[in-house]
Amino acid sequence: MWHFRLWKVQDVAVFLCGTLYMCHIAGAISIHSPQRRLTRSVQEDVFFSVNVLCNGIPTIQWTFMSGEVSRSIGIWQPGVYTNLTVDYSSRVQTYNNGSMGLSDLQLQDAGYYVVTVTETTGSSKDTGFVLKVNVLACLASLLILAVWLLDQAYRKIVAWGRRKQMPENDATELQPL
């Protein structure tokens, strides 16, 4: 007599857990970014490049954090709606792949930027970017302008001093040849 048993209860549980996990991975959110540490100068623009892959239309939310400050930049669904906060509405450009552009950088824009992607099923994933804003390029431009202005002022003062030292035309007599 053959006693034949196909599956044990533990084997079925492991198989189901593995199958559910594989299904979850197949539908998981994927956020790819070529660069997560960015350095720009004051008044430049920055592009936070991401490529979001997920099932359905994702909800994309960007948040700014610096020290104890945390501000929402905006939230959108590609092709459906875009809702940017008042502080960022004139400087932010949104893209369907999840990327975001921020123009006219200021020193206070330096910090940590987080993009959170949420699927229609409710699962979400996020990734962060570090933005460093330099003042050196702006400062160098101002220094060059100041040096040029000082040089122009120096040239005018020297020319004025030379004119002061020249004798008056009235005091000079012309001799016949």
Side-chain angles (χ1 to χ4, degrees):
M1 188 171 208
W2 292 49
H3 210 233
F4 190 75
R5 189 183 309 182
L6 288 176
W7 297 91
K8 291 182 182 175
V9 174
Q10 292 89 359
D11 293 338
V12 171
V14 168
F15 176 77
L16 286 175
C17 286
T19 304
L20 289 172
Y21 179 72
M22 294 305 286
C23 289
H24 175 70
I25 287 177
I29 299 169
S30 171
I31 304 173
H32 298 284
S33 176
Q35 188 176 14
R36 295 213 179 137
R37 292 187 176 275
L38 304 161
T39 302
R40 298 292 183 275
S41 296
V42 171
Q43 295 180 336
E44 284 187 342
D45 300 342
V46 66
F47 182 70
F48 297 98
S49 177
V50 297
N51 192 18
V52 173
L53 299 172
C54 69
N55 292 330
I57 298 174
T59 300
I60 300 163
Q61 180 175 6
W62 279 87
T63 307
F64 168 75
M65 290 183 260
S66 177
E68 297 196 17
V69 175
S70 178
R71 288 191 304 260
S72 175
I73 295 171
I75 187 168
W76 67 90
Q77 280 188 323
V80 180
Y81 72 89
T82 300
N83 186 13
L84 299 174
T85 59
V86 175
D87 294 340
Y88 289 97
S89 62
S90 64
R91 300 191 309 137
V92 167
Q93 176 68 42
T94 62
Y95 297 90
N96 286 342
N97 67 352
S99 297
M100 178 184 73
L102 180 61
S103 63
D104 192 26
L105 289 176
Q106 304 301 315
L107 282 176
Q108 59 268 25
D109 290 325
Y112 192 67
Y113 290 79
V114 177
V115 58
T116 304
V117 178
T118 307
E119 283 184 316
T120 53
T121 61
S123 62
S124 66
K125 185 174 183 180
D126 55 26
T127 192
F129 295 82
V130 176
L131 175 63
K132 182 179 177 185
V133 180
N134 289 332
V135 70
L136 294 178
C138 184
L139 188 59
S141 300
L142 290 174
L143 231 93
I144 289 170
L145 177 64
V147 167
W148 181 80
L149 288 172
L150 285 173
D151 180 61
Q152 294 298 315
Y154 172 76
R155 289 175 187 261
K156 290 200 184 270
I157 291 171
V158 167
W160 177 74
R162 286 189 185 146
R163 278 189 300 233
K164 246 347 212 171
Q165 291 176 353
M166 291 177 69
E168 293 287 329
N169 287 341
D170 295 339
T172 306
E173 289 185 25
L174 296 175
Q175 299 290 328
L177 293 173

